[in-house]
Amino acid sequence: MPDIKAIYEHQFLPSRNAEWMTSYRSAVEWAQSADETTFRSSSFQKRLWEVDGVSTIGPGESVSVPGAYGDPSVVDALWSLRNWSAPNDPKARALYLDSEFQKILSLVSPRYNKRRPSARLVRILCVLRPFEVVCLMDPRRTVQFRQWVEQPRHGYGFIAQNVLARQVVREALGVEKSIEDAISYSQFAWFVWELIDGRDNATIGSNEAEKDEPGRATDAPKLVMLPAAMQRKGMFYVSDNLSLLLSVVRAAENGMDRDGLVDQVGEDAPYLNLGSRRNVIAQAVSLNLLHLESGTYHPTSSGRGLLEGESPADMLTPTFVRTVFGFALILGDLRSSSKLQRGQIAKTSQGYYPRWTSERAPNALVAWMRDLALVHIEGSGRGAIVELTEAGEYWASGLPEDYNSSKHLLVEERSEDPLESEALGDNGELDEMFVPITVDELLSRFESEALRRLVFSESQLRLVHGALHSADGKRFILLAGLSGTGKTSLASAYAKAYCDARGLVVTRHYAQVSVWPDWTDPSGLLGFINPLADPPTFHETPALKLLIEATQNPTKPYFLCLDEMNLARVEHYFAPFLSAMEGREGRLPIHSGSEAVDNIPSTISWPRNLFIIGTVNMDETTHPFSDKVLDRAFTFEFWDIDLEAWRSKASDRATPSVVSNVARVLSALYAALLPARRHFGYRTCDEVLGFCAVETGLPFAHALDAAVLAKVLPKVRGDASGLLPKALSDAAEICRAEGLHRSEAKLLQMQSSLSANGIVRFWS
């Protein structure tokens, strides 16, 4: 049981909305002070049904019942409700008010409106019975609050649960001494719900629907959406899907392992194959009905709500909208068009996500909406008419205003599998194995226009490919050596070639992360919990997003490039990765919490479809690698470059004479500096050529001289004990012969400093 008194006194009261207290109290005092004649007047009844001091009611505002203002049976029921003498027994109060609520609804609907004015009537209860109910206008919020105060459902309806949850607050805080106390207890329930909602439903990158008035109650649904790239691309569907979910949640009520739950699905649906049975378990996890703890599944609060008989729509719709691509878009389209044919919905949805090359995925979403009672379907086949129900209109009204903006669409995506999540297994992982591409497929992609300019030998590519596939699940290599030799370019090009061969968009499957020198723990890669936020939030990183995506789509390749990996001590920030990639059941710890924070689990299975490529520069600014790192990686050195190959690939970047002259000088300088290991890489070659190709009006030799001085010589440094003296002398002679006078002078100065001091660097 939470410490209700402490939260009330130390969190709620100091932040209580004074303006809302004033408007709420005015509404209650007005309703309580009216005599019978006034109460029965049409003008009073109109104001009673429209009273807004207690809350806003979002979509409920459109459900008006003007005919009820003068209906004697409705007025009698409301008058009796206000003057009812409540018994001491909380359950008796709960049952009576729930019964009266249902009776009054039946008097006004469908007679005065086919839609039930539930939110309006809850608001009336708040002013007529301020000591019995709280200002939670809808069932879902009431259920969440009831669960928070650990009050059983008792099989009771929405209003009865509201009343019993209110009783728990009274018992914790004491009997109300005034109307203001009664209102304060009611508003406290709303305050608590906002805490619950922030804890349970906060999302990464989401755009929460704005409240009408901060801190003030409403029945408007509060829906959030992950950006489209982070949503699941569909949700598989089988017959009796909801019943199967309820069955596995019930089976897990006292804890059960995965095999036991799979067997339970097999008993309920023997027609399903093993993969589909596992999908149901994964579905229950992804829909936030089950969570895994120490190898055993248990119901979440939403799962317990289903077991207690709450509406599946209330428990599942927010999760579908937040995490399943297309669900919100279809709801929004139905809200805009009133009715749509099933074929129209599928066609429009394929426009939102061209990878849906069949109608299977959008049809599955419509089937889910039907089972959640959000839509009514009349007819069959593609011509069937789909229309929102009252519940569907309610939830559609809570969509964010930008629900169909570009960040919630995937129109640029193409040619990927139509239903990524269809074969989801334990913890949302696919049961199918990852199937790599062949080295010949890889090499053929390096002949494409996008990669043809890169200077990598076939031998290098074959070795890298072999190393990344030599150990299943431990796809980790280090590319070490000279800066500018194309190590990072090789990582990104390899990922692009791989994705092109699989028909994937590389930007969805590749992340390049620059390592910072101050990294002393894994938070730079895996993110961290912000403990100052209330409730705590999780700061996510691009690397973590890629890891989670990889675990959710294990048949697809994902690539993480750690650039300049040894700028920090690798064993400090990379230790969880090194441990997780060992063994078939390795898990990567993300944070120390026992439950997910901002939808980020505490651990994930090590993604065996993840390729990690670290680039390494070995100089005085970097750290050496421990054996623990080297034991898990293949290491390739890149010290030499092929200037003739570079020249042939650079032929279209400048005039032939510029390319020829730049290549000639760079080749000579490279040969001179190589013995002292002060040579340069392809990046320097590209930049020198680019500089000389620009039309500046200066003589070519002048431009080349400036480029060599700016890009080649600054890295030349060292002491007199090795081959550096000869390298400086040879380079100076080359510059003299080519007319690069400023570069020659700098090299001669460096020779003099080396002779005098025994050590030299460009800036001395």
Side-chain angles (χ1 to χ4, degrees), residues 532-568:
L532 300 180
D534 187 12
T537 57
F538 197 91
H539 177 80
E540 194 183 22
T541 65
L544 180 58
K545 291 178 183 178
L546 186 83
L547 287 164
I548 291 176
E549 187 87 7
T551 62
Q552 292 173 343
N553 298 286
T555 61
K556 297 179 172 62
Y558 288 83
F559 302 86
L560 176 62
C561 174
L562 298 178
D563 201 22
E564 298 194 73
M565 195 174 179
N566 60 334
L567 278 180

mmCIF file of all heavy atoms in Angstrom, residues 532-568:
data_model
loop_
_atom_site.group_PDB
_atom_site.id
_atom_site.type_symbol
_atom_site.label_atom_id
_atom_site.label_comp_id
_atom_site.label_asym_id
_atom_site.label_seq_id
_atom_site.Cartn_x
_atom_site.Cartn_y
_atom_site.Cartn_z
ATOM 1 N N LEU A 532 16.075 12.722 -10.911
ATOM 2 C CA LEU A 532 15.482 13.978 -10.447
ATOM 3 C C LEU A 532 14.070 14.173 -10.974
ATOM 4 O O LEU A 532 13.305 14.963 -10.435
ATOM 5 C CB LEU A 532 16.358 15.156 -10.873
ATOM 6 C CG LEU A 532 17.796 15.142 -10.326
ATOM 7 C CD1 LEU A 532 18.559 16.349 -10.826
ATOM 8 C CD2 LEU A 532 17.791 15.102 -8.800
ATOM 9 N N ALA A 533 13.726 13.447 -12.039
ATOM 10 C CA ALA A 533 12.378 13.551 -12.580
ATOM 11 C C ALA A 533 11.419 12.780 -11.684
ATOM 12 O O ALA A 533 11.777 11.801 -11.050
ATOM 13 C CB ALA A 533 12.328 13.002 -14.002
ATOM 14 N N ASP A 534 10.193 13.243 -11.614
ATOM 15 C CA ASP A 534 9.163 12.582 -10.809
ATOM 16 C C ASP A 534 7.924 12.375 -11.659
ATOM 17 O O ASP A 534 7.185 13.316 -11.917
ATOM 18 C CB ASP A 534 8.821 13.436 -9.584
ATOM 19 C CG ASP A 534 7.880 12.706 -8.626
ATOM 20 O OD1 ASP A 534 7.700 11.481 -8.806
ATOM 21 O OD2 ASP A 534 7.326 13.365 -7.722
ATOM 22 N N PRO A 535 7.701 11.158 -12.170
ATOM 23 C CA PRO A 535 8.449 9.933 -11.896
ATOM 24 C C PRO A 535 9.754 9.898 -12.691
ATOM 25 O O PRO A 535 9.929 10.692 -13.618
ATOM 26 C CB PRO A 535 7.492 8.844 -12.371
ATOM 27 C CG PRO A 535 6.727 9.493 -13.464
ATOM 28 C CD PRO A 535 6.531 10.919 -13.027
ATOM 29 N N PRO A 536 10.669 8.975 -12.346
ATOM 30 C CA PRO A 536 11.947 8.901 -13.059
ATOM 31 C C PRO A 536 11.748 8.685 -14.559
ATOM 32 O O PRO A 536 10.816 8.011 -14.988
ATOM 33 C CB PRO A 536 12.635 7.687 -12.412
ATOM 34 C CG PRO A 536 11.993 7.561 -11.071
ATOM 35 C CD PRO A 536 10.572 7.994 -11.264
ATOM 36 N N THR A 537 12.627 9.278 -15.358
ATOM 37 C CA THR A 537 12.590 9.098 -16.806
ATOM 38 C C THR A 537 13.917 8.502 -17.250
ATOM 39 O O THR A 537 14.906 8.502 -16.505
ATOM 40 C CB THR A 537 12.357 10.433 -17.532
ATOM 41 O OG1 THR A 537 13.399 11.356 -17.155
ATOM 42 C CG2 THR A 537 11.006 11.019 -17.160
ATOM 43 N N PHE A 538 13.944 8.001 -18.474
ATOM 44 C CA PHE A 538 15.153 7.356 -18.983
ATOM 45 C C PHE A 538 15.702 8.161 -20.151
ATOM 46 O O PHE A 538 14.967 8.517 -21.076
ATOM 47 C CB PHE A 538 14.859 5.930 -19.445
ATOM 48 C CG PHE A 538 16.107 5.098 -19.583
ATOM 49 C CD1 PHE A 538 16.570 4.353 -18.514
ATOM 50 C CD2 PHE A 538 16.823 5.073 -20.767
ATOM 51 C CE1 PHE A 538 17.732 3.599 -18.629
ATOM 52 C CE2 PHE A 538 17.984 4.332 -20.891
ATOM 53 C CZ PHE A 538 18.435 3.588 -19.811
ATOM 54 N N HIS A 539 16.994 8.488 -20.071
ATOM 55 C CA HIS A 539 17.672 9.182 -21.160
ATOM 56 C C HIS A 539 18.224 8.136 -22.119
ATOM 57 O O HIS A 539 19.162 7.413 -21.790
ATOM 58 C CB HIS A 539 18.800 10.055 -20.624
ATOM 59 C CG HIS A 539 19.585 10.756 -21.701
ATOM 60 N ND1 HIS A 539 19.139 11.901 -22.310
ATOM 61 C CD2 HIS A 539 20.761 10.452 -22.285
ATOM 62 C CE1 HIS A 539 20.017 12.276 -23.221
ATOM 63 N NE2 HIS A 539 21.011 11.409 -23.225
ATOM 64 N N GLU A 540 17.623 8.035 -23.291
ATOM 65 C CA GLU A 540 17.991 6.999 -24.248
ATOM 66 C C GLU A 540 19.069 7.510 -25.190
ATOM 67 O O GLU A 540 19.190 8.717 -25.433
ATOM 68 C CB GLU A 540 16.762 6.566 -25.045
ATOM 69 C CG GLU A 540 16.969 5.284 -25.810
ATOM 70 C CD GLU A 540 15.755 4.922 -26.640
ATOM 71 O OE1 GLU A 540 14.967 5.831 -26.946
ATOM 72 O OE2 GLU A 540 15.605 3.749 -26.988
ATOM 73 N N THR A 541 19.862 6.588 -25.733
ATOM 74 C CA THR A 541 20.938 6.921 -26.666
ATOM 75 C C THR A 541 20.683 6.262 -28.012
ATOM 76 O O THR A 541 19.928 5.283 -28.103
ATOM 77 C CB THR A 541 22.286 6.413 -26.121
ATOM 78 O OG1 THR A 541 22.243 4.980 -26.070
ATOM 79 C CG2 THR A 541 22.572 6.973 -24.730
ATOM 80 N N PRO A 542 21.326 6.759 -29.073
ATOM 81 C CA PRO A 542 21.189 6.094 -30.385
ATOM 82 C C PRO A 542 21.630 4.628 -30.349
ATOM 83 O O PRO A 542 21.035 3.783 -31.012
ATOM 84 C CB PRO A 542 22.096 6.932 -31.289
ATOM 85 C CG PRO A 542 22.129 8.278 -30.657
ATOM 86 C CD PRO A 542 22.073 8.026 -29.172
ATOM 87 N N ALA A 543 22.666 4.328 -29.563
ATOM 88 C CA ALA A 543 23.124 2.933 -29.483
ATOM 89 C C ALA A 543 22.051 2.046 -28.863
ATOM 90 O O ALA A 543 21.789 0.937 -29.342
ATOM 91 C CB ALA A 543 24.418 2.852 -28.670
ATOM 92 N N LEU A 544 21.404 2.526 -27.803
ATOM 93 C CA LEU A 544 20.370 1.723 -27.158
ATOM 94 C C LEU A 544 19.169 1.530 -28.078
ATOM 95 O O LEU A 544 18.582 0.443 -28.136
ATOM 96 C CB LEU A 544 19.933 2.372 -25.844
ATOM 97 C CG LEU A 544 18.849 1.620 -25.068
ATOM 98 C CD1 LEU A 544 19.305 0.209 -24.739
ATOM 99 C CD2 LEU A 544 18.472 2.376 -23.804
ATOM 100 N N LYS A 545 18.796 2.566 -28.806
ATOM 101 C CA LYS A 545 17.686 2.432 -29.755
ATOM 102 C C LYS A 545 17.989 1.330 -30.771
ATOM 103 O O LYS A 545 17.121 0.524 -31.110
ATOM 104 C CB LYS A 545 17.452 3.762 -30.474
ATOM 105 C CG LYS A 545 16.902 4.864 -29.591
ATOM 106 C CD LYS A 545 16.750 6.161 -30.376
ATOM 107 C CE LYS A 545 16.272 7.290 -29.480
ATOM 108 N NZ LYS A 545 16.162 8.581 -30.194
ATOM 109 N N LEU A 546 19.231 1.311 -31.251
ATOM 110 C CA LEU A 546 19.612 0.287 -32.233
ATOM 111 C C LEU A 546 19.566 -1.102 -31.599
ATOM 112 O O LEU A 546 19.094 -2.063 -32.211
ATOM 113 C CB LEU A 546 21.016 0.581 -32.767
ATOM 114 C CG LEU A 546 21.472 -0.339 -33.908
ATOM 115 C CD1 LEU A 546 20.908 0.173 -35.233
ATOM 116 C CD2 LEU A 546 22.987 -0.407 -33.993
ATOM 117 N N LEU A 547 20.043 -1.226 -30.365
ATOM 118 C CA LEU A 547 20.052 -2.517 -29.689
ATOM 119 C C LEU A 547 18.635 -3.045 -29.505
ATOM 120 O O LEU A 547 18.360 -4.229 -29.741
ATOM 121 C CB LEU A 547 20.738 -2.382 -28.324
ATOM 122 C CG LEU A 547 22.262 -2.219 -28.344
ATOM 123 C CD1 LEU A 547 22.750 -1.710 -27.000
ATOM 124 C CD2 LEU A 547 22.924 -3.545 -28.672
ATOM 125 N N ILE A 548 17.727 -2.182 -29.071
ATOM 126 C CA ILE A 548 16.348 -2.614 -28.859
ATOM 127 C C ILE A 548 15.705 -2.998 -30.185
ATOM 128 O O ILE A 548 14.985 -4.002 -30.284
ATOM 129 C CB ILE A 548 15.556 -1.510 -28.138
ATOM 130 C CG1 ILE A 548 16.072 -1.369 -26.699
ATOM 131 C CG2 ILE A 548 14.059 -1.812 -28.146
ATOM 132 C CD1 ILE A 548 15.439 -0.247 -25.921
ATOM 133 N N GLU A 549 15.971 -2.213 -31.214
ATOM 134 C CA GLU A 549 15.445 -2.546 -32.538
ATOM 135 C C GLU A 549 15.976 -3.908 -32.989
ATOM 136 O O GLU A 549 15.242 -4.713 -33.578
ATOM 137 C CB GLU A 549 15.853 -1.460 -33.530
ATOM 138 C CG GLU A 549 15.237 -1.603 -34.901
ATOM 139 C CD GLU A 549 13.877 -0.944 -35.020
ATOM 140 O OE1 GLU A 549 13.467 -0.255 -34.082
ATOM 141 O OE2 GLU A 549 13.231 -1.144 -36.055
ATOM 142 N N ALA A 550 17.237 -4.178 -32.700
ATOM 143 C CA ALA A 550 17.831 -5.456 -33.103
ATOM 144 C C ALA A 550 17.186 -6.624 -32.365
ATOM 145 O O ALA A 550 16.949 -7.685 -32.950
ATOM 146 C CB ALA A 550 19.338 -5.433 -32.847
ATOM 147 N N THR A 551 16.887 -6.446 -31.081
ATOM 148 C CA THR A 551 16.245 -7.538 -30.341
ATOM 149 C C THR A 551 14.824 -7.778 -30.829
ATOM 150 O O THR A 551 14.315 -8.900 -30.752
ATOM 151 C CB THR A 551 16.210 -7.240 -28.834
ATOM 152 O OG1 THR A 551 15.444 -6.058 -28.587
ATOM 153 C CG2 THR A 551 17.610 -7.071 -28.277
ATOM 154 N N GLN A 552 14.178 -6.740 -31.343
ATOM 155 C CA GLN A 552 12.797 -6.884 -31.804
ATOM 156 C C GLN A 552 12.712 -7.452 -33.216
ATOM 157 O O GLN A 552 11.657 -7.942 -33.623
ATOM 158 C CB GLN A 552 12.090 -5.524 -31.746
ATOM 159 C CG GLN A 552 11.880 -5.010 -30.326
ATOM 160 C CD GLN A 552 11.329 -3.607 -30.289
ATOM 161 O OE1 GLN A 552 11.381 -2.879 -31.277
ATOM 162 N NE2 GLN A 552 10.792 -3.218 -29.153
ATOM 163 N N ASN A 553 13.806 -7.397 -33.955
ATOM 164 C CA ASN A 553 13.813 -7.885 -35.335
ATOM 165 C C ASN A 553 15.055 -8.751 -35.578
ATOM 166 O O ASN A 553 15.950 -8.383 -36.347
ATOM 167 C CB ASN A 553 13.804 -6.704 -36.317
ATOM 168 C CG ASN A 553 12.573 -5.852 -36.185
ATOM 169 O OD1 ASN A 553 11.488 -6.228 -36.598
ATOM 170 N ND2 ASN A 553 12.727 -4.683 -35.583
ATOM 171 N N PRO A 554 15.134 -9.913 -34.943
ATOM 172 C CA PRO A 554 16.373 -10.697 -34.977
ATOM 173 C C PRO A 554 16.732 -11.303 -36.327
ATOM 174 O O PRO A 554 17.826 -11.836 -36.462
ATOM 175 C CB PRO A 554 16.125 -11.817 -33.949
ATOM 176 C CG PRO A 554 14.985 -11.350 -33.124
ATOM 177 C CD PRO A 554 14.177 -10.483 -34.000
ATOM 178 N N THR A 555 15.839 -11.293 -37.306
ATOM 179 C CA THR A 555 16.211 -11.825 -38.612
ATOM 180 C C THR A 555 16.886 -10.776 -39.479
ATOM 181 O O THR A 555 17.331 -11.091 -40.578
ATOM 182 C CB THR A 555 14.975 -12.356 -39.354
ATOM 183 O OG1 THR A 555 14.055 -11.294 -39.562
ATOM 184 C CG2 THR A 555 14.304 -13.466 -38.572
ATOM 185 N N LYS A 556 16.962 -9.543 -39.004
ATOM 186 C CA LYS A 556 17.545 -8.459 -39.790
ATOM 187 C C LYS A 556 18.878 -8.028 -39.181
ATOM 188 O O LYS A 556 19.061 -8.086 -37.971
ATOM 189 C CB LYS A 556 16.583 -7.270 -39.841
ATOM 190 C CG LYS A 556 15.274 -7.580 -40.542
ATOM 191 C CD LYS A 556 14.371 -6.365 -40.519
ATOM 192 C CE LYS A 556 13.145 -6.595 -41.375
ATOM 193 N NZ LYS A 556 12.313 -7.720 -40.893
ATOM 194 N N PRO A 557 19.822 -7.585 -40.006
ATOM 195 C CA PRO A 557 21.126 -7.173 -39.480
ATOM 196 C C PRO A 557 21.093 -5.742 -38.931
ATOM 197 O O PRO A 557 20.377 -4.878 -39.457
ATOM 198 C CB PRO A 557 22.025 -7.246 -40.722
ATOM 199 C CG PRO A 557 21.093 -6.919 -41.866
ATOM 200 C CD PRO A 557 19.761 -7.519 -41.481
ATOM 201 N N TYR A 558 21.875 -5.506 -37.891
ATOM 202 C CA TYR A 558 22.028 -4.163 -37.320
ATOM 203 C C TYR A 558 23.511 -3.920 -37.062
ATOM 204 O O TYR A 558 24.243 -4.842 -36.669
ATOM 205 C CB TYR A 558 21.220 -4.021 -36.030
ATOM 206 C CG TYR A 558 19.730 -3.955 -36.295
ATOM 207 C CD1 TYR A 558 18.986 -5.113 -36.470
ATOM 208 C CD2 TYR A 558 19.076 -2.735 -36.420
ATOM 209 C CE1 TYR A 558 17.628 -5.062 -36.750
ATOM 210 C CE2 TYR A 558 17.719 -2.672 -36.699
ATOM 211 C CZ TYR A 558 17.004 -3.837 -36.861
ATOM 212 O OH TYR A 558 15.664 -3.771 -37.145
ATOM 213 N N PHE A 559 23.946 -2.677 -37.265
ATOM 214 C CA PHE A 559 25.373 -2.361 -37.248
ATOM 215 C C PHE A 559 25.626 -1.180 -36.314
ATOM 216 O O PHE A 559 25.006 -0.117 -36.458
ATOM 217 C CB PHE A 559 25.862 -2.018 -38.659
ATOM 218 C CG PHE A 559 25.627 -3.112 -39.664
ATOM 219 C CD1 PHE A 559 24.418 -3.215 -40.334
ATOM 220 C CD2 PHE A 559 26.606 -4.053 -39.923
ATOM 221 C CE1 PHE A 559 24.179 -4.231 -41.244
ATOM 222 C CE2 PHE A 559 26.386 -5.079 -40.831
ATOM 223 C CZ PHE A 559 25.169 -5.165 -41.494
ATOM 224 N N LEU A 560 26.526 -1.375 -35.374
ATOM 225 C CA LEU A 560 26.928 -0.321 -34.453
ATOM 226 C C LEU A 560 28.404 -0.030 -34.669
ATOM 227 O O LEU A 560 29.250 -0.906 -34.477
ATOM 228 C CB LEU A 560 26.683 -0.758 -33.006
ATOM 229 C CG LEU A 560 27.158 0.209 -31.912
ATOM 230 C CD1 LEU A 560 26.438 1.547 -32.014
ATOM 231 C CD2 LEU A 560 26.963 -0.420 -30.529
ATOM 232 N N CYS A 561 28.703 1.197 -35.100
ATOM 233 C CA CYS A 561 30.099 1.618 -35.293
ATOM 234 C C CYS A 561 30.493 2.514 -34.121
ATOM 235 O O CYS A 561 29.875 3.557 -33.895
ATOM 236 C CB CYS A 561 30.256 2.369 -36.616
ATOM 237 S SG CYS A 561 31.911 3.075 -36.839
ATOM 238 N N LEU A 562 31.502 2.087 -33.372
ATOM 239 C CA LEU A 562 32.036 2.881 -32.268
ATOM 240 C C LEU A 562 33.297 3.571 -32.769
ATOM 241 O O LEU A 562 34.353 2.945 -32.913
ATOM 242 C CB LEU A 562 32.330 1.987 -31.067
ATOM 243 C CG LEU A 562 31.108 1.271 -30.481
ATOM 244 C CD1 LEU A 562 31.518 0.364 -29.333
ATOM 245 C CD2 LEU A 562 30.062 2.278 -30.025
ATOM 246 N N ASP A 563 33.171 4.848 -33.043
ATOM 247 C CA ASP A 563 34.256 5.597 -33.682
ATOM 248 C C ASP A 563 35.270 6.058 -32.636
ATOM 249 O O ASP A 563 34.901 6.638 -31.609
ATOM 250 C CB ASP A 563 33.667 6.794 -34.425
ATOM 251 C CG ASP A 563 34.607 7.307 -35.494
ATOM 252 O OD1 ASP A 563 35.477 6.551 -35.949
ATOM 253 O OD2 ASP A 563 34.468 8.486 -35.881
ATOM 254 N N GLU A 564 36.558 5.810 -32.926
ATOM 255 C CA GLU A 564 37.657 6.115 -32.007
ATOM 256 C C GLU A 564 37.374 5.489 -30.645
ATOM 257 O O GLU A 564 37.320 6.147 -29.607
ATOM 258 C CB GLU A 564 37.877 7.619 -31.908
ATOM 259 C CG GLU A 564 38.285 8.233 -33.248
ATOM 260 C CD GLU A 564 38.835 9.630 -33.112
ATOM 261 O OE1 GLU A 564 39.986 9.757 -32.631
ATOM 262 O OE2 GLU A 564 38.122 10.576 -33.474
ATOM 263 N N MET A 565 37.251 4.194 -30.679
ATOM 264 C CA MET A 565 36.778 3.425 -29.541
ATOM 265 C C MET A 565 37.683 3.537 -28.320
ATOM 266 O O MET A 565 37.221 3.425 -27.180
ATOM 267 C CB MET A 565 36.648 1.959 -29.967
ATOM 268 C CG MET A 565 35.860 1.100 -29.032
ATOM 269 S SD MET A 565 35.635 -0.537 -29.741
ATOM 270 C CE MET A 565 34.703 -1.313 -28.405
ATOM 271 N N ASN A 566 38.962 3.751 -28.526
ATOM 272 C CA ASN A 566 39.887 3.774 -27.400
ATOM 273 C C ASN A 566 40.262 5.180 -26.937
ATOM 274 O O ASN A 566 41.279 5.368 -26.273
ATOM 275 C CB ASN A 566 41.150 2.967 -27.719
ATOM 276 C CG ASN A 566 41.892 3.500 -28.935
ATOM 277 O OD1 ASN A 566 41.295 4.117 -29.816
ATOM 278 N ND2 ASN A 566 43.184 3.249 -28.997
ATOM 279 N N LEU A 567 39.442 6.171 -27.250
ATOM 280 C CA LEU A 567 39.643 7.484 -26.638
ATOM 281 C C LEU A 567 39.374 7.412 -25.136
ATOM 282 O O LEU A 567 39.894 8.201 -24.356
ATOM 283 C CB LEU A 567 38.716 8.527 -27.277
ATOM 284 C CG LEU A 567 39.194 9.144 -28.591
ATOM 285 C CD1 LEU A 567 38.184 10.152 -29.103
ATOM 286 C CD2 LEU A 567 40.564 9.804 -28.423
ATOM 287 N N ALA A 568 38.497 6.485 -24.729
ATOM 288 C CA ALA A 568 38.271 6.177 -23.310
ATOM 289 C C ALA A 568 38.695 4.736 -23.070
ATOM 290 O O ALA A 568 38.932 3.979 -24.009
ATOM 291 C CB ALA A 568 36.796 6.376 -22.953
#
